[in-house]
Amino acid sequence: MIKAILIFNNHGKPRLSKFYEHYNEDTEQQIIRETFHLVSKRDENVCNFLEGGMLIGGSDYRLIYRHYATLYFVFCVDSSESELGILDLIQVFVETLDKCFENVCELDLIFHVDKVHNILAEMVMGGMVLETNMNEIITQVDSQNKMEKSETFIFQSTRQDR
Amino acid sequence: MPAVSKGDGMRGLAVFISDIRNCKSKEAEIKRINKELANIRSKFKGDKALDGYSKKKYVCKLLFIFLLGHDIDFGHMEAVNLLSSNKYTEKQIGYLFISVLVNSNSELIRLINNAIKNDLSSRNPTFMCLALHCIANVGSREMAEAFASEIPRILVAGDTMDSVKQSAALCLLRLYKTSPDLVLMGEWTSRVVHLLNDQHMGVVTAAISLITCLSQKNPDEFKTCVSLAVSRLSRIVSSASTDLQDYTYYFVPAPWLSCKLLRLLQCYPPPEDGAVKGRLVECLETILNKAQEPPKSKKVQHSNAKNAILFEAISLIIHYDSEPNLLVRACNQLGQFLQHRETNLRYLALESMCTLASSEFSHEAVKTHIETVINALKTERDVSVRQRAADLLYAMCDRSNAKQIVAEMLSYLETADYSIREEMVLKVAILAEKYAVDYSWYVDTILNLIRIAGDYVSEEVWYRVIQIVINRDDVQGYAAKTVFEALQAPACHENMVKVGGYILGEFGNLIAGDPRSSPLVQFNLLHSKFHLCSVPTRALLLSAYIKFINLFPETKATIQEVLRCDSQIRNSDVELQQRAVEYLKLSSIASTDVLATVLEEMPPFPERESSILAKLKKKKGPGAVSVPDLEDGKREGGELNGGGERGPDSAAMSASNASTPSPSADLLGMRSAAPMSAAPTSAGSLLVDVFSEAGPAAPSAAVNDDGFLRFVCKNNGVLFENQLLQIGIKSEYRQNLGRMYLFYGNKTSVQFASFTTTVSCPGELQSHILSILRLNVQTKPVEPVVEGGAQIQQVLNIECLTDFSEAPLLNIKFRYGGALQNLSLKLPVTINKFFQPTEMTSHDFFQRWKQLSQPQQEAQKIFKANHSMDTEVLKAKLLGLGTALLDDVDPNPENYVCAGVIQTKGQQVGCLLRLEPNGQAQMYRLTLRCSKDSVSLRLCELLAQQF
């Protein structure tokens, strides 16, 4: 099971956090900090797996991560998941984001947190993988956007928007 | 066209985010956020009704603020209102808010549930998916109560859209995980298994997670998934890289699904059906072959996906542990990976090899890679890889390579990362002890360990070396000489002083003949370290000094002088002062005879589980340490598994065994305040409780065998239950092998600490190597902590070596609150579990019956019925027994006859059974004839209590 999915940048600023188990807010923030601390000090070319920090379950859990330019994508998973499989999943997630946002960059994640959440929800649900096929995921996201478009048309207004 | 157009977002949100990003300081950021929170709050509270768009915008802002790590304590109500909107965008953002910011506010949950209910029945697939996602994300008890019966219906309904099916499967899984009692098995379960055949690969992907989880909990009910999974896997593996279109990932067909299928199969033993098994073996071979083919792409994603499948296939091969051919191929493949340039692959290969090392078929093959692994330990740049290399060396260690491995580990320790030093020290200590042929090597190793990594040598390690030196006469002189030499170093670790003080105090006389280590030289050497040591070590040294007075009367004056000086006799530490005063008095009052008795050499320590092993188990969790038992497991099983785990303090103190008549001055007994104050005549009072609570002094419960008899004719159920603990059993047997799963459920809300279980076979503990071991039970250690409400599982592997009548005993110890709980249960492993049913005709049956005509081969009992005499009940019981129930054999149709063969490792025992009920008298006559008389007796005994 996937326990948490975290995205933060090279400075540890969280860009997405999705926990599939309940922690209180303070613990969640601590987990993000601890994970950043563990992951960021690792060289490139070392392996992409490491044992989880103390907060997120100790040695039964693994952190599996990839580092893309300015962002770290970290999946915290238990022993029932294949490490390499999760690496592939991260890649699918990133490629999907890239397609949806056209050359995704950190700013896209900042300004469209809700969209990122929706895309992720098409892949992972309650900590389990729902779909791995990128085209299928994009089709779903597309159809949502169409619905959204047809609705936002009504809102197109010039009112003060603060 | 990009799926998300960037322009049409909410401008107010974008402005807010930009403001935050432009903040120069944390303070400015907090200020801006507080301003925004106040703004949103007033908007929510304001008189003017907000339209959906504004609500959505504010909720998005709250989400963003939450991500930055700020508490959000309002807005939930607005989010719930969004749920009931008819607009997709509003509904979606409402659900998103609820999923990210769940609040256990029950008032709110009711409203949310209401909205979910509406969406589930809306027949709009998008809305249904949103609702299902929400349930899966929150997964609370209230939601389970509301929807646990609804979801399965959606999942298996014929007209449900594929995307909804996917969501429903994972939603159900989540509910099953959080509230298994509310998800009732039913007609849907059989249809769920068939989702493995679904046309839509996404549905299979989602369903397989559900099926895997259900299979783990109810393996029997979901057995049919094995053949379905094999055929699905085989179709994927044999497909060309283009067949599966979108599910082909970098030229690898459906890698994720393949991995999951291989994982599912790991929940089960190898398929019994020959055709299915053949197909599976073929798949595994294909996967292994593909690994050798040239890659279809240079991209790392390609090899990654391919290897993900390969590693899962290897895990399955290791899990089956029955195909020597595949095991060796797996080992060779992993061997290649050990030198791969991808760090990930080296890491995983080291890890998989660790489990491979414990299989008898591949242990030798793993050993051939020793040089590579040692090299990895020395040169890997990544500490997590080095850690795996150290684990593997530990796992592959046996008598033939122990010296090499221990030497390598020791030299690695000098530069090892701090994070893994303590564990390395424990491992070295265990290996050195386990494979020591020559105990001087052992002593050298441990002293080296203290020299190199003294800070990381825990009490358990140095207690253990002392225990071993005391128990082995042949090494005592050498140990004394070696510690004496080690203490010569100008700076030596305090642990070295402890070991030195203890050993010289006991065995200094063995080297006193040499003028270079005369008694006075020894004493001066020890005393030169005294002032640098902590209080406990000083206390130990004082005890060593008094022992010196006994060993070497010529040192008496010098030592008395030391004890008498103010810094001892008026020491501010009570313990030290007391020792100084008492030892001084003892040495001046007592006669030499009395001294000799009081200060006699320590008696041998009782042999039991190494305290170090217990510590490593605690540190590493189950499985991690059991590996090297492979070679010696059977022989030393009694020692390793049988002994109670003892607290660290008791490890070296337990010498004061109640059965030892000599008043043993407990050198390390720093807990007992006045070890010397009692005169020798009242030796008994010296034996204060030096056992820690976890030791053998713990009150041991009488063996409980209430549950035992209920399991003669069945394999699964609850074995034991009281207010604290429930123990469930699932077991399966094939031939002479069995596997039993024990489930320990904590019924309280408080955690159980120091939870340990041991399984012992009667006869194994009392008798020695020469007696016959009848049953071999191997366990993996359990987690030492069971959280309140949690359940942990333990697997026992059972091998029937020869027929037996005594069942193994399970002993469970744990702390609940402050109190130690101790429980002994008979495990329901009975001889009939190893039955193979035998079908035979009436003619054959009676012919065999006659052949087994020697009087001792038959056992018979006539007894009153204790249970219903209903035919179906009786039949079920006889089938549960494991024999074949033979129809049309006995001329009297009222009677039951059965036949079976009991499979033991050494031999097979044929058994025939005849049960003659007498309904009027409510009596039975039971007759057994077996080719071995002890079996007839035992079966008769067992069965007479079943009907």
Side-chain angles (χ1 to χ4, degrees):
Chain A
M1 180 191 166
I2 301 169
K3 235 184 168 183
I5 294 174
L6 307 174
I7 305 178
F8 39 71
N9 70 6
N10 289 348
H11 307 289
K13 273 243 183 278
R15 294 307 177 206
L16 174 98
S17 70
K18 178 75 192 160
F19 288 84
Y20 295 100
E21 265 182 25
H22 297 314
Y23 299 96
N24 64 37
E25 282 116 60
D26 285 345
T27 319
E28 288 188 0
Q29 291 299 322
Q30 278 175 29
I31 290 173
I32 297 175
R33 275 198 296 275
E34 188 188 25
T35 310
F36 170 69
H37 185 73
L38 285 170
V39 169
S40 62
K41 66 178 183 199
R42 295 171 63 83
D43 300 342
E44 302 290 327
N45 296 327
V46 298
C47 76
N48 296 76
F49 330 121
L50 65 160
E51 283 188 357
M54 285 326 290
L55 289 166
I56 204 149
S59 58
D60 289 343
Y61 285 86
R62 292 259 161 95
L63 300 175
I64 296 171
Y65 73 98
R66 267 184 192 271
H67 189 191
Y68 295 89
T70 62
L71 292 174
Y72 285 97
F73 286 70
V74 187
F75 280 43
C76 173
V77 304
D78 69 9
S79 57
S80 72
E81 302 290 348
S82 147
E83 286 91 346
L84 293 175
I86 294 286
L87 271 187
D88 287 341
L89 195 66
I90 297 178
Q91 178 71 17
V92 170
F93 183 36
V94 173
E95 286 184 26
T96 310
L97 288 174
D98 195 55
K99 284 235 171 86
C100 291
F101 286 107
E102 251 186 330
N103 297 329
V104 67
C105 65
E106 194 179 338
L107 279 180
D108 295 321
L109 305 194
I110 296 172
F111 285 102
H112 302 278
V113 179
D114 54 330
K115 298 253 152 68
V116 180
H117 269 288
N118 290 339
I119 294 168
L120 184 59
E122 293 300 327
M123 282 183 69
V124 180
M125 176 170 162
M128 304 306 283
V129 172
L130 185 66
E131 182 60 78
T132 56
N133 173 357
M134 206 191 319
N135 292 339
E136 187 83 17
I137 298 167
I138 291 173
T139 314
Q140 293 291 339
V141 175
D142 261 341
S143 75
Q144 290 171 9
N145 283 323
K146 277 199 194 104
M147 270 192 278
E148 210 167 305
K149 273 263 173 59
S150 67
E151 287 173 1
T152 44
F153 184 70
I154 311 164
F155 301 134
Q156 293 296 330
S157 64
T158 50
R159 70 193 129 160
Q160 177 66 24
D161 197 357
R162 273 263 161 164
Chain B
M1 188 197 110
V4 177
S5 22
K6 296 183 185 179
D8 58 1
M10 286 164 285
R11 209 171 63 85
L13 177 65
V15 170
F16 170 61
I17 293 174
S18 304
D19 279 0
I20 295 286
R21 286 171 44 79
N22 290 333
C23 284
K24 293 278 184 293
S25 65
K26 193 81 194 160
E27 287 73 31
E29 185 186 304
I30 291 173
K31 213 172 144 197
R32 179 70 185 89
I33 286 172
N34 284 337
K35 187 179 154 204
E36 193 61 39
L37 285 174
N39 173 34
I40 301 173
R41 211 183 291 251
S42 73
K43 285 281 184 330
F44 281 165
K45 284 209 179 124
D47 312 328
K48 228 172 70 187
L50 292 173
D51 58 21
Y53 172 78
S54 314
K55 274 191 202 158
K56 181 183 162 188
K57 181 179 68 187
Y58 294 131
V59 167
C60 275
K61 283 183 181 177
L62 290 179
L63 276 177
F64 184 78
I65 294 170
F66 178 73
L67 179 67
L68 291 177
H70 298 267
D71 264 1
I72 301 294
D73 53 5
F74 67 99
H76 299 82
M77 203 56 212
E78 283 68 24
V80 173
N81 286 340
L82 287 173
L83 292 187
S84 30
S85 162
N86 280 329
K87 292 207 184 73
Y88 166 73
T89 29
E90 292 173 12
K91 200 184 270 295
Q92 187 197 36
I93 207 80
Y95 273 123
L96 177 58
F97 185 92
I98 302 290
S99 311
V100 176
L101 274 155
V102 267
N103 193 308
S104 52
N105 186 336
S106 62
E107 202 55 28
L108 222 45
I109 287 279
R110 207 169 310 142
L111 291 171
I112 297 171
N113 277 357
N114 221 7
I116 292 177
K117 201 165 282 167
N118 289 335
D119 284 335
L120 283 184
S121 51
S122 71
R123 313 214 124 249
N124 173 336
T126 316
F127 289 4
M128 287 173 90
C129 282
L130 281 176
L132 290 168
H133 267 100
C134 183
I135 302 174
N137 276 316
V138 178
S140 69
R141 183 98 196 148
E142 285 96 334
M143 284 197 176
E145 276 163 3
F147 303 111
S149 53
E150 173 75 2
I151 313 280
R153 211 186 44 71
I154 298 178
L155 176 60
V156 298
D159 56 349
T160 308
M161 301 258 300
D162 286 336
S163 62
V164 179
K165 262 191 204 167
Q166 282 172 273
S167 300
L170 293 185
C171 182
L172 184 58
L173 171 57
R174 178 62 197 252
L175 294 186
Y176 184 71
K177 275 187 178 165
T178 49
S179 315
D181 52 319
L182 294 177
V183 179
L184 302 173
M185 299 295 138
E187 182 254 351
W188 59 275
T189 46
S190 58
R191 303 186 42 193
V192 160
V193 176
H194 284 276
L195 289 177
L196 286 175
N197 260 337
D198 201 284
Q199 298 235 306
H200 191 283
M201 296 278 270
V203 173
V204 190
T205 304
I208 196 161
S209 293
L210 174 66
I211 294 168
T212 305
C213 179
L214 290 170
S215 299
Q216 278 162 348
K217 299 274 163 60
N218 326 276
D220 286 342
E221 257 172 274
F222 289 87
K223 250 201 306 237
T224 43
C225 72
V226 172
S227 60
L228 288 169
V230 170
S231 66
R232 187 93 214 194
L233 180 69
S234 142
R235 269 180 282 155
I236 297 175
V237 169
S238 57
S239 65
S241 57
T242 48
D243 286 358
L244 298 169
Q245 293 161 2
D246 287 349
Y247 285 87
T248 298
Y249 173 87
Y250 289 91
F251 306 103
V252 183
W256 179 269
L257 187 54
S258 307
C259 289
K260 286 285 165 184
L261 286 164
L262 288 162
R263 277 277 159 128
L264 172 60
L265 291 171
Q266 287 173 53
C267 303
Y268 287 93
E272 281 157 30
D273 181 334
V276 177
K277 189 168 183 195
R279 205 162 174 198
L280 180 56
V281 168
E282 209 172 284
C283 284
L284 294 171
E285 278 170 347
T286 313
I287 294 171
L288 285 169
N289 291 341
K290 278 189 182 172
Q292 300 299 333
E293 287 170 10
K296 294 199 176 71
S297 155
K298 286 220 168 67
K299 287 243 168 69
V300 62
Q301 280 82 3
H302 171 70
S303 69
N304 207 30
K306 207 163 97 173
N307 292 327
I309 302 174
L310 181 60
F311 273 106
E312 286 308 323
I314 291 175
S315 300
L316 183 63
I317 293 170
I318 296 172
H319 167 78
Y320 285 166
D321 197 13
S322 60
E323 302 283 332
N325 200 1
L326 289 175
L327 277 164
V328 171
R329 280 192 70 183
C331 186
N332 292 340
Q333 183 61 54
L334 293 177
Q336 284 183 17
F337 283 151
L338 283 182
Q339 318 219 33
H340 202 280
R341 59 190 165 77
E342 275 275 321
T343 317
N344 289 342
L345 295 182
R346 296 199 301 275
Y347 177 96
L348 293 174
L350 287 166
E351 193 179 54
S352 294
M353 265 210 181
C354 246
T355 42
L356 209 49
S358 58
S359 162
E360 56 174 317
F361 299 116
S362 49
H363 184 74
E364 287 304 315
V366 170
K367 271 167 63 187
T368 59
H369 299 288
I370 184 165
E371 297 300 335
T372 320
V373 182
I374 288 173
N375 200 33
L377 188 64
K378 285 179 178 158
T379 58
E380 281 290 349
R381 288 170 52 217
D382 186 346
V383 56
S384 33
V385 184
R386 289 197 296 273
Q387 167 90 60
R388 295 292 153 255
D391 287 349
L392 177 54
L393 280 181
Y394 179 74
M396 65 162 71
C397 191
D398 62 18
R399 223 171 272 293
S400 70
N401 55 20
K403 282 205 173 166
Q404 185 189 7
I405 287 180
V406 166
E408 290 295 347
M409 283 179 142
L410 268 179
S411 77
Y412 172 61
L413 252 182
E414 307 213 28
T415 54
D417 309 79
Y418 294 107
S419 54
I420 62 174
R421 277 197 185 181
E422 188 182 351
E423 197 187 308
M424 289 286 293
V425 167
L426 289 176
K427 286 185 165 163
V428 170
I430 290 169
L431 292 179
E433 178 186 338
K434 193 170 176 64
Y435 298 114
V437 187
D438 140 23
Y439 277 86
S440 53
W441 173 72
Y442 170 73
V443 170
D444 282 341
T445 304
I446 301 293
L447 292 185
N448 263 330
L449 207 53
I450 296 177
R451 202 171 45 71
I452 294 169
D455 284 343
Y456 299 89
V457 172
S458 54
E459 286 177 330
E460 287 86 350
V461 174
W462 71 263
Y463 284 178
R464 190 69 187 160
V465 68
I466 285 172
Q467 285 180 19
I468 285 178
V469 169
I470 289 192
N471 288 6
R472 305 207 152 253
D473 303 344
D474 49 337
V475 77
Q476 288 161 355
Y478 181 79
K481 182 166 152 286
T482 322
V483 288
F484 180 78
E485 279 160 11
L487 286 174
Q488 307 281 345
C492 58
H493 196 270
E494 189 164 335
N495 281 334
M496 189 71 89
V497 180
K498 288 180 184 161
V499 175
Y502 199 115
I503 289 183
L504 291 181
E506 294 291 326
F507 308 113
N509 55 330
L510 297 176
I511 55 167
D514 189 326
R516 283 167 301 175
S517 53
S518 70
L520 220 51
V521 174
Q522 285 184 40
F523 171 74
N524 285 333
L525 181 61
L526 278 181
H527 199 53
S528 70
K529 315 282 182 195
F530 187 89
H531 304 280
L532 303 169
C533 291
S534 63
V535 170
T537 310
R538 290 187 189 189
L540 184 148
L541 285 177
L542 287 180
S543 298
Y545 296 170
I546 187 75
K547 287 229 157 187
F548 265 45
I549 292 184
N550 176 46
L551 288 179
F552 317 116
E554 66 266 37
T555 60
K556 184 168 170 178
T558 321
I559 292 175
Q560 282 184 334
E561 191 68 27
V562 167
L563 293 175
R564 202 176 289 127
C565 77
D566 277 356
S567 64
Q568 306 296 353
I569 211 156
R570 299 194 173 179
N571 194 297
S572 59
D573 185 272
V574 182
E575 177 67 36
L576 291 182
Q577 191 187 94
Q578 187 167 8
R579 284 193 189 216
V581 172
E582 287 174 2
Y583 291 169
L584 185 60
K585 271 280 172 267
L586 180 71
S587 66
S588 37
I589 295 170
S591 70
T592 41
D593 282 356
V594 172
L595 266 187
T597 326
V598 175
L599 302 171
E600 199 180 35
E601 190 180 303
M602 294 290 279
F605 288 83
E607 275 304 331
R608 42 180 79 138
E609 181 178 41
S610 154
S611 47
I612 317 175
L613 203 56
K615 168 134 185 173
L616 186 64
K617 278 182 195 161
K618 213 176 279 174
K619 209 176 148 59
K620 285 290 276 186
V625 289
S626 54
V627 187
D629 296 350
L630 174 75
E631 185 186 89
D632 305 64
K634 282 170 193 152
R635 202 163 40 76
E636 294 178 7
E639 187 199 331
L640 288 173
N641 304 325
E645 188 178 320
R646 303 184 301 163
D649 288 324
S650 72
M653 295 182 196
S654 53
S656 306
N657 193 320
S659 63
T660 314
S662 65
S664 25
D666 188 343
L667 252 188
L668 294 175
M670 296 153 209
R671 284 278 178 81
S672 44
M676 295 303 158
S677 57
T681 42
S682 60
S685 66
L686 271 179
L687 307 174
V688 277
D689 184 17
V690 289
F691 295 106
S692 75
E693 319 85 328
S700 73
V703 173
N704 179 325
D705 60 354
D706 294 346
F708 177 75
L709 284 170
R710 284 186 283 116
F711 283 85
V712 171
C713 293
K714 66 173 185 175
N715 287 336
N716 304 330
V718 174
L719 176 65
F720 173 84
E721 183 155 15
N722 63 12
Q723 295 97 316
L724 305 178
L725 179 71
Q726 186 192 54
I727 303 174
I729 279 193
K730 274 189 185 161
S731 48
E732 48 196 22
Y733 293 87
R734 192 171 314 109
Q735 306 281 1
N736 69 323
L737 300 176
R739 181 168 290 173
M740 181 178 276
Y741 298 87
L742 292 169
F743 300 90
Y744 304 97
N746 180 345
K747 289 170 65 181
T748 70
S749 52
V750 184
Q751 66 160 224
F752 295 162
S754 325
F755 192 89
T756 54
T757 67
T758 44
V759 175
S760 55
C761 297
E764 169 193 275
L765 290 177
Q766 295 92 330
S767 61
H768 274 250
I769 318 155
L770 287 175
S771 70
I772 308 162
L773 198 62
R774 294 184 170 267
L775 204 57
N776 182 14
V777 182
Q778 301 205 329
T779 57
K780 295 208 167 138
V782 289
E783 290 289 334
V785 172
V786 188
E787 296 297 347
Q791 190 187 57
I792 57 168
Q793 182 187 336
Q794 183 177 34
V795 186
L796 309 185
N797 286 317
I798 303 161
E799 184 182 15
C800 177
L801 302 173
T802 176
D803 68 287
F804 61 97
S805 45
E806 290 289 354
L809 293 179
L810 170 68
N811 183 264
I812 301 155
K813 288 199 187 105
F814 59 92
R815 291 194 151 278
Y816 168 69
L820 184 75
Q821 306 288 328
N822 190 349
L823 190 70
S824 282
L825 298 169
K826 260 194 196 177
L827 279 179
V829 180
T830 45
I831 184 72
N832 64 292
K833 301 292 180 195
F834 303 96
F835 256 128
Q836 291 278 108
T838 321
E839 295 289 345
M840 52 176 81
T841 62
S842 176
H843 173 258
D844 287 345
F845 183 86
F846 284 105
Q847 199 174 1
R848 294 270 182 90
W849 186 265
K850 279 181 199 128
Q851 281 167 0
L852 299 169
S853 58
Q854 289 172 29
Q856 64 270 32
Q857 288 178 326
E858 183 182 279
Q860 192 172 67
K861 250 191 181 147
I862 299 171
F863 55 92
K864 233 181 153 44
N866 288 319
H867 303 280
S868 153
M869 291 184 80
D870 179 70
T871 324
E872 289 311 310
V873 176
L874 284 179
K875 278 188 177 167
K877 280 185 181 169
L878 288 168
L879 283 173
L881 186 65
T883 51
L885 183 59
L886 305 177
D887 291 321
D888 306 325
V889 169
D890 200 288
N892 179 351
E894 297 292 319
N895 293 346
Y896 302 91
V897 292
C898 303
V901 176
I902 288 177
Q903 306 276 346
T904 72
K905 192 181 185 200
Q907 65 182 136
Q908 303 189 331
V909 183
C911 305
L912 301 175
L913 175 154
R914 191 178 197 194
L915 182 70
E916 301 162 82
N918 180 339
Q920 280 178 327
Q922 290 284 306
M923 299 282 282
Y924 290 104
R925 181 163 72 184
L926 173 70
T927 317
L928 275 142
R929 287 191 178 184
C930 305
S931 55
K932 200 165 178 191
D933 39 11
S934 52
V935 176
S936 304
L937 279 173
R938 179 59 184 161
L939 281 175
C940 195
E941 221 169 77
L942 280 173
L943 288 175
Q945 302 171 69
Q946 296 298 319
F947 299 104

